Amino acid sequence: MEVFVARQPILKKNDEVYGYELLYRNSLENHFVPMDGNQATSEVLRNTFLTIGLDRMSQNKPCFINFTEQLLLDKVPEYFSPHQLIVEILEDVSISRELTAVCRDLKEKGYKIALDDVVNLRGDDYTELIRYIDILKVDIFAASEGERIEMVQIAKRLGITLLAEKVETREDYERCKQEGFDLFQGFYFSKPVVITGTDIPFFHSTYFQMIRELSLPTEEIDIEKVTEIIGQDIALTYKLLRLINTTTKPGSVPIQSIRQAVMLLGTESLKKWLYVLSIEEADPSIGQTPQLVTKTSLVRAKMSEQVAVRLQCPGRADGYFLAGFMSLIDVITKRPMSEIANSLPLDTEIQKALNNENNLYRNILDVVIAMEQADFEYLEQELTSFDLPLNEIFEIYGQSIAWDGSTIPRAFHFLII
């Protein structure tokens, strides 16, 4: 399923890109289609951080994302790292004590907050809130010259960065620089550009199993059960790995297993992200190809794990499971394997194996693929070096298919029979 997010650059005075504003789109047609604001923002968050990736979306520069009142009060911005996100408060958000308290908490945690489409700062509503604002986005056409000058003076006094919106000509740009604006956004620099990605739909059954398991009191949540549920669904596994990139510095924690990923992220973060996912229901009408690829991935994962166990390979067996499970992620996402593998926080040896570099993970994966393709000539040659009889590979293959049949979601059985 193709997904879309538009981005528009925000520039400094020296024409260097400061960040990007991310905008909801539902097709390559570059205009906003009216829809519920909560869902629009949630789709932008999901598609940016879990599907397309921040590296492609913004070259890891800060992203300005519009938040509705409900999402702010639900503290959704806190699901992200402060260096990745600038919280943009829409002009139609009611300024209340509750909202001001949320902004104070965000500010204390290191987030930057932008106030969108500001025309003037008159009124008691802004008296307390303005203390927590980092960036004022001023509509240079809606605000009069006197209002702009007044806001520049207030911003300079409070140490707030001024961003000129709707800069459409060179004259607009020069005037805004002269008036004291720091950042600039508008059609003069670039119209929003639509970036696309391929989302992987997840199964209703695994999603609701996760909801049920994570609804338990924290001390009663079974990590092994959560790991097992995620390990049945390549979409949830892929999103879990992507999610780790939003909460840790990329590459800082090499992931060797699904269980490690679950432990690193924590059940509280998983609960929060299930909330974001729940705003748009899981799609039950998954196409045939992703399902068949998922089935193959599961068999590869189990076979890789069991071959590693038989050979007493170094490292944990679930690392070999993860390598097998992710071995077709390029087919599902329709992107080059090198791009995907290198964007995920995987262990270096697993990354190498997925990139077809020679190591033990890759050697085992090649044996598994040869069995899958009935390449017995390759198997006989390769198994000699492993000191593993061909009949044992047949046995492991049969057990993996049987295991796959017992773990795959019931809805999946119905669709592939």
Side-chain angles (χ1 to χ4, degrees):
M1 179 177 70
E2 198 167 18
V3 297
F4 311 88
V5 178
R7 72 179 187 193
Q8 187 174 31
I10 293 169
L11 284 81
K12 302 177 185 178
K13 287 181 181 178
N14 61 2
D15 293 336
E16 180 185 340
V17 174
Y18 174 81
Y20 292 89
E21 178 164 10
L22 304 188
L23 305 161
Y24 170 78
R25 294 291 185 268
N26 68 348
S27 71
L28 285 172
E29 294 182 19
N30 200 357
H31 59 82
F32 177 74
V33 176
M35 69 176 304
D36 176 72
N38 294 321
Q39 185 172 347
T41 295
S42 296
E43 286 198 26
V44 168
L45 293 171
R46 257 195 330 272
N47 295 340
T48 296
F49 290 93
L50 300 186
T51 302
I52 297 172
L54 205 60
D55 48 346
R56 281 188 61 219
M57 199 70 232
S58 69
Q59 289 80 54
N60 292 310
K61 291 185 180 294
C63 296
F64 289 67
I65 297 180
N66 297 323
F67 281 87
T68 63
E69 184 174 3
Q70 179 186 327
L71 295 178
L72 286 167
L73 295 178
D74 287 341
K75 300 187 176 181
V76 171
E78 294 184 21
Y79 305 175
F80 303 88
S81 171
H83 73 270
Q84 298 172 326
L85 181 71
I86 293 176
V87 179
E88 191 165 323
I89 301 176
L90 291 167
E91 65 277 9
D92 59 358
V93 170
S94 302
I95 299 175
S96 61
R97 286 184 182 177
E98 292 78 12
L99 179 74
T100 302
V102 167
C103 291
R104 183 185 64 239
D105 291 345
L106 288 170
K107 181 85 171 178
E108 288 174 353
K109 292 173 181 174
Y111 292 87
K112 287 187 176 179
I113 303 171
L115 204 54
D116 191 30
D117 278 348
V118 181
V119 175
N120 63 65
L121 293 173
R122 301 186 188 112
D124 295 337
D125 289 345
Y126 291 111
T127 304
E128 180 70 15
L129 180 66
I130 198 69
R131 297 168 54 191
Y132 310 114
I133 300 302
D134 299 280
I135 299 171
L136 281 180
K137 299 187 71 178
V138 179
D139 184 332
I140 63 170
F141 288 104
S144 67
E145 181 179 356
E147 287 170 329
R148 293 197 305 272
I149 291 171
E150 182 182 11
M151 282 189 285
V152 168
Q153 292 172 345
I154 294 171
K156 297 302 180 187
R157 186 171 71 249
L158 297 175
I160 296 173
T161 300
L162 279 164
L163 191 160
E165 287 189 291
K166 300 180 182 176
V167 178
E168 297 188 355
T169 66
R170 181 76 189 180
E171 289 73 23
D172 293 337
Y173 178 40
E174 293 298 336
R175 186 182 77 247
C176 290
K177 282 200 296 185
Q178 203 166 28
E179 288 179 349
F181 284 85
D182 309 289
L183 301 174
F184 310 89
Q185 178 182 3
F187 284 8
Y188 171 64
F189 306 103
S190 173
K191 293 183 178 181
V193 175
V194 178
I195 309 297
T196 65
T198 302
D199 193 21
I200 314 173
F202 48 86
F203 296 111
H204 268 300
S205 54
T206 51
Y207 174 73
F208 289 120
Q209 284 179 61
M210 284 286 290
I211 289 284
R212 186 168 58 249
E213 188 63 34
L214 292 173
S215 296
L216 296 171
T218 303
E219 64 275 10
E220 295 180 22
I221 294 174
D222 185 343
I223 294 297
E224 301 304 328
K225 182 65 174 175
V226 171
T227 301
E228 180 185 342
I229 294 168
I230 293 175
Q232 295 171 17
D233 192 328
I234 196 166
L236 285 177
T237 300
Y238 178 65
K239 292 177 193 297
L240 173 66
L241 292 170
R242 277 287 196 194
L243 184 52
I244 287 171
N245 275 345
T246 73
T247 57
T248 62
K249 185 178 179 181
S252 62
V253 185
I255 300 300
Q256 297 178 320
S257 69
I258 295 172
R259 187 182 189 281
Q260 181 195 359
V262 171
M263 294 293 291
L264 179 64
L265 191 61
T267 56
E268 289 305 309
S269 291
L270 280 173
K271 286 178 184 178
K272 290 175 181 178
W273 270 96
L274 283 174
Y275 165 76
V276 175
L277 292 172
S278 72
I279 294 177
E280 180 184 42
E281 291 185 10
D283 185 1
S285 55
I286 305 167
Q288 181 93 350
T289 300
Q291 294 176 50
L292 295 175
V293 173
T294 298
K295 182 177 175 65
T296 303
S297 298
L298 281 164
V299 174
R300 284 189 182 185
K302 195 63 177 177
M303 271 198 78
S304 297
E305 175 195 69
Q306 291 305 306
V307 169
V309 169
R310 296 283 179 97
L311 295 176
Q312 297 182 331
C313 294
R316 293 172 59 92
D318 46 12
Y320 296 89
F321 181 98
L322 183 57
F325 199 36
M326 300 299 292
S327 63
L328 288 168
I329 194 67
D330 57 328
V331 176
I332 297 175
T333 60
K334 300 175 185 176
R335 302 203 64 80
M337 178 60 87
S338 58
E339 179 183 312
I340 296 187
N342 296 338
S343 71
L344 297 176
L346 295 166
D347 177 79
T348 304
E349 292 303 306
I350 296 176
Q351 281 185 336
K352 286 180 179 179
L354 295 177
N355 285 323
N356 207 25
E357 295 181 36
N358 187 46
N359 63 11
L360 191 52
Y361 287 93
R362 185 71 232 180
N363 295 340
I364 288 177
L365 190 53
D366 285 340
V367 165
V368 167
I369 293 170
M371 183 66 224
E372 175 188 300
Q373 298 174 349
D375 187 349
F376 299 118
E377 183 178 344
Y378 176 86
L379 281 171
E380 288 180 1
Q381 176 184 338
E382 195 67 18
L383 291 177
T384 301
S385 61
F386 276 143
D387 194 24
L388 191 66
L390 184 60
N391 68 307
E392 283 200 44
I393 288 294
F394 273 103
E395 182 184 340
I396 292 171
Y397 185 53
Q399 290 172 348
S400 300
I401 291 174
W403 171 85
D404 169 56
S406 66
T407 59
I408 202 161
R410 194 170 292 193
F412 181 71
H413 278 298
F414 174 76
L415 289 164
I416 65 172
I417 288 175

